[in-house]
Amino acid sequence: MGRKKPVDWLRRMKRLVDSGYEEPGLMYKILQEVPPEPLPKRTQHPEKLIYPEDRLLSKFYEKFPMERLEPIELGSFDPPYPRKFVWRQMQLMRYAGLDEKAAFEQTEKEYVPGRKASLSQSKSLKSTRSTLQMVQMEEERVLLSAMREHRERMQRVE
């Protein structure tokens, strides 16, 4: 369901009076004396929201393009790493009085070594997952062959 269009009361009343359907009443006279403000023009698209950190975030992605490819956990309340990086950079700019470049370098010194360690840890977890998947595939293969043998035995008995 769409949104209802706002009503232009003066125009509507003028049509009714001009057609002879209604007599010009008190409301019509008031609307003629003090016409309502014109209805706002509809725009096709809303204005684009630009946040202060957007420019810093684009510069972060220029320096670390692979960070764009990192998946974001939708169920997590933790912000993604690039957002944390930019927030820390803004904090240094605002409270420590550093300029943008110096704040970026300082944040890079603080965050990048920890990020590399967490990435190497997540890669080891991914290899664990693949090992787990291999074990599950092997178990599934064994289970299916056992079910097949059981079905064949049951058919021979009948």
Side-chain angles (χ1 to χ4, degrees):
M1 261 206 180
R3 190 184 322 181
K4 289 184 177 181
K5 293 181 181 177
V7 179
D8 184 356
W9 286 105
L10 180 60
R11 189 169 155 214
R12 189 173 187 178
M13 291 293 294
K14 187 171 172 42
R15 281 185 181 169
L16 291 172
V17 169
D18 289 347
S19 67
Y21 187 74
E22 266 190 34
E23 294 294 321
L26 182 62
M27 183 176 171
Y28 180 70
K29 291 175 184 173
I30 291 173
L31 284 174
Q32 278 188 325
E33 288 178 21
V34 185
E37 292 183 22
L39 297 174
K41 300 284 183 191
R42 285 179 61 178
T43 58
Q44 292 293 351
H45 301 286
E47 290 181 29
K48 185 175 181 178
L49 293 176
I50 299 173
Y51 295 101
E53 64 260 22
D54 288 346
R55 186 175 43 80
L56 300 174
L57 195 58
S58 66
K59 288 187 179 185
F60 173 83
Y61 283 133
E62 284 176 16
K63 177 125 185 192
F64 303 106
M66 293 304 290
E67 286 293 333
R68 283 186 189 267
L69 304 177
E70 282 296 314
I72 296 173
E73 292 184 40
L74 297 178
S76 172
F77 288 106
D78 278 343
Y81 173 74
R83 188 73 55 187
K84 288 180 186 176
F85 186 97
V86 169
W87 286 344
R88 176 62 180 152
Q89 182 182 1
M90 288 177 62
Q91 189 179 36
L92 289 172
M93 288 166 58
R94 184 173 296 140
Y95 299 116
L98 299 175
D99 67 328
E100 187 177 312
K101 187 176 180 179
F104 187 91
E105 291 169 357
Q106 177 65 32
T107 309
E108 191 176 7
K109 287 176 189 171
E110 293 174 10
Y111 275 77
V112 170
R115 179 67 174 164
K116 287 180 181 177
S118 68
L119 284 177
S120 66
Q121 183 183 12
S122 69
K123 285 180 183 176
S124 68
L125 286 176
K126 288 178 185 174
S127 66
T128 306
R129 286 187 200 136
S130 63
T131 306
L132 178 63
Q133 288 172 345
M134 289 173 26
V135 169
Q136 287 175 337
M137 287 170 45
E138 178 65 23
E139 286 178 343
E140 184 178 3
R141 188 185 64 74
V142 170
L143 178 65
L144 289 174
S145 72
M147 289 173 61
R148 197 175 311 114
E149 288 176 20
H150 177 71
R151 192 174 340 127
E152 289 172 1
R153 272 193 236 131
M154 294 305 288
Q155 286 175 353
R156 279 189 244 145
V157 172
E158 294 176 334

